[in-house]
Amino acid sequence: MRIHHLNCGSHCPLGGALFDGASRGIFAHICTHCLLIETADSLVLVDTGYGLQDVRPTAGRRLAFTWPLLLNTQLREGDTAIRQVEALGYSPRDVRHIVLTHLDFDHAGGIADFPEARVHVFASEKAAAERARRGFITRQRYRPAMWDCVRDWRIYAAGGDDWFGFEAVRRLDGLSEDIVMVPLRGHTLGHAGVAIRTAGGWLLDAGDSFMSHGELDVRPHCPVGLRAYQAIMTSDRQARRANLERLRALHQDTSAGVTIFAAHDDISLAALRGAAGSQ
């Protein structure tokens, strides 16, 4: 199994270090970290970022107006998952599975670029997305046009086997037990982490369960801009806080051998790319 760490969408909000904790200019840089997993017989995407129908100026508008404007989203065709898959020498048809942390616009936009893929998601997330007309935030985050083409959904109830103290779904239809969905309700009502067993231990894509690597520290910290965005977009604050505490404890347990990262943390993306030697 080989894992490629992809950035499938860049956000450059006004505020610089207030958002990413590092930029010296007035604009921040916030990635959308997705995974491309090479298995023995197919490719698996964990989240898709933005898709071709989002980045092409001639395409029908699928994105809401508010968040891409405030986030100063940089829509580039070369950043889409499909173009990065092709750059690695693969066909989009080789992507047989898409495992989603959640259905937010910046995580699910590329689904339509892989129409033959089986899409895995928690039932509670699918149900929340189908109620997308209820409330301003919900309408902004969930864009049904992004996934109305899906022919092969695989829907899972949260719960199941133990995974380092978390309930987990280990048996994803068509995938090995080396890929596990972990319920991490909070950012959305059906939010999931996706854990992958590698030769060096477990890698946990925690999606938007937190926004900055500093939130896992013994003395947690997060740039104020990200903290505000996170507060606005949280669907269940109590669950998010509880799951973050559990993730922090797991991160600090070095004997567990679990590497945890958030989808919008550039520092984690750079470190994992360096460790994996991915493009």
Side-chain angles (χ1 to χ4, degrees):
M1 181 182 293
R2 184 183 181 192
I3 300 175
H4 301 271
H5 296 271
L6 312 179
N7 175 21
C8 296
S10 295
H11 308 95
C12 301
L14 183 65
L18 293 176
F19 276 91
D20 63 16
S23 292
R24 297 182 178 181
I26 63 172
F27 293 105
H29 187 274
I30 300 169
C31 66
T32 302
H33 189 166
C34 302
L35 301 178
L36 178 68
I37 306 170
E38 298 181 22
T39 70
D41 56 2
S42 66
L43 300 179
V44 181
L45 273 171
V46 179
D47 289 344
T48 67
Y50 295 98
L52 290 178
Q53 294 183 53
D54 301 316
V55 306
R56 288 177 172 170
T58 56
R61 185 173 183 86
R62 301 190 307 169
L63 295 171
F65 179 75
T66 304
W67 289 124
L69 177 65
L70 293 176
L71 295 172
N72 189 24
T73 303
Q74 307 298 297
L75 298 173
R76 296 184 287 255
E77 187 166 333
D79 290 343
T80 60
I82 187 172
R83 293 295 180 247
Q84 295 189 66
V85 166
E86 291 170 340
L88 288 167
Y90 292 105
S91 164
R93 291 184 177 182
D94 294 326
V95 177
R96 304 303 301 163
H97 298 272
I98 297 172
V99 185
L100 294 171
T101 61
H102 60 305
L103 281 161
D104 272 2
F105 62 92
D106 54 337
H107 293 256
I111 290 176
D113 296 333
F114 305 96
E116 298 181 29
R118 177 172 295 169
V119 181
H120 305 261
V121 69
F122 277 139
S124 49
E125 182 66 9
K126 183 75 158 43
E130 289 173 346
R131 298 192 298 267
R133 295 186 179 182
R134 301 181 183 181
F136 175 76
I137 296 297
T138 306
R139 291 195 303 272
Q140 293 286 309
R141 76 186 321 160
Y142 292 130
R143 311 299 292 177
M146 290 181 168
W147 59 79
D148 61 6
C149 63
V150 176
R151 300 190 299 267
D152 190 2
W153 288 102
R154 288 296 185 272
I155 310 298
Y156 304 91
D161 299 331
D162 177 78
W163 185 84
F164 294 99
F166 291 85
E167 294 180 334
V169 177
R170 290 181 178 268
R171 302 184 187 278
L172 303 183
D173 193 4
L175 293 170
S176 77
E177 292 188 14
D178 290 333
I179 300 177
V180 175
M181 289 181 72
V182 181
L184 291 175
R185 177 186 173 102
H187 180 71
T188 64
L189 297 179
H191 189 278
V194 180
I196 304 99
R197 180 162 34 206
T198 72
W202 285 92
L203 179 69
L204 176 60
D205 179 348
D208 288 1
S209 298
F210 61 99
M211 296 286 173
S212 170
H213 62 282
E215 294 181 78
L216 298 182
D217 289 351
V218 175
R219 295 182 178 179
H221 57 94
C222 179
V224 63
L226 277 185
R227 191 162 62 243
Y229 179 77
Q230 188 165 234
I232 293 169
M233 298 297 284
T234 294
S235 297
D236 185 334
R237 286 176 173 77
Q238 183 175 355
R240 190 193 74 80
R241 286 195 296 267
N243 279 320
L244 180 55
E245 289 176 3
R246 297 168 74 196
L247 289 170
R248 187 178 297 123
L250 180 58
H251 171 70
Q252 292 168 15
D253 179 5
T254 56
S255 66
V258 180
T259 300
I260 306 171
F261 71 89
H264 298 298
D265 188 273
D266 276 57
I267 290 177
S268 296
L269 174 61
L272 288 165
R273 276 180 164 173
S278 301
Q279 298 297 319

